[in-house]
Amino acid sequence: MKYENIFIEHEKGIATLIINRPTKLNALNKATIHELHHAFYALETNAEVKVIVLTGSGEKAFVAGADISEFANFSVEEGTQLAKQGQELLFDFVENLKTPVIAAINGFALGGGLELAMACHFRVASDNAKMGLPEVSLGVIPGYGGTQRLPQLVGKGRAMEMIMTAGVINAEEAKTYGLVNHVVPQTELAALCYGIGQKIMKNSPVAISEAIKAINANFKDGVDGFETEIKAFGKCFGTEDFREGTTAFLEKRKAEFKGN
């Protein structure tokens, strides 16, 4: 697939996926959502890719929101389908990827942009980043998982306040809230994400995939997270990575994981 709104860079097992609509502050439209879905699927199925870093082009925005011009005149049915399809194609899809996804928030992450960052497995921000869910100021609510993921990350009370006030917080506030893990100068953002990615790559891809599944299970209605963990734990015992990891430990050497 030829991409018009994104591009991908590869470096030693780490793929950087860059949303590239600088004149729109990288706002999400339907075409970009479809391109991101295709790109994430392609990276997920590429055995050489161990970690994905998602960011926006330029120095102003990660993703400044959804492209409002596309849905300003939608009906109830069209609005419902917009949220449903978007969640299935991109936001839920990213959350459940087997490959770790780090959001490198390099500026504004508002509305759908923050929702996309929250769908990633964790977040790192530059010190100029601004984050918020301002949808109620437009007469609508977050529709790409924001009302669900924000309370999971910052707690119900803070999420209620952020959403109801349509407020925007800075990077240090986001770190205090638990919304992002690290805050660094923008010039250091890529290097920090790359460094974290390198640490991740030292470990078993199979075990990481199962850990993602088990952690996510705790936040899904009707799913017993403990039972998911037990099954995932047992499943690891049947992998080559487990045999390599335990053998390397006993032999006092570094493990060389193959991801199977």
Side-chain angles (χ1 to χ4, degrees), residues 218-260:
N218 185 53
F219 298 99
K220 297 185 185 299
D221 288 339
V223 177
D224 186 331
F226 289 99
E227 185 62 28
T228 301
E229 180 185 275
I230 290 167
K231 290 179 179 178
F233 178 78
K235 184 177 177 181
C236 289
F237 281 70
T239 67
E240 292 296 327
D241 274 7
F242 174 75
R243 281 185 280 277
E244 168 60 14
T246 52
T247 301
F249 177 82
L250 294 172
E251 294 177 354
K252 297 181 180 180
R253 60 174 175 82
K254 290 184 179 180
E256 296 180 6
F257 294 112
K258 304 297 184 184
N260 49 41

Side-chain angles (χ1 to χ4, degrees), residues 95 118 147-156 159 219-220:
E95 181 179 67
M118 291 191 295
T147 64
Q148 307 304 299
R149 293 190 179 97
L150 187 61
Q152 292 171 4
L153 292 166
V154 307
K156 181 179 178 181
F219 298 99
K220 297 185 185 299

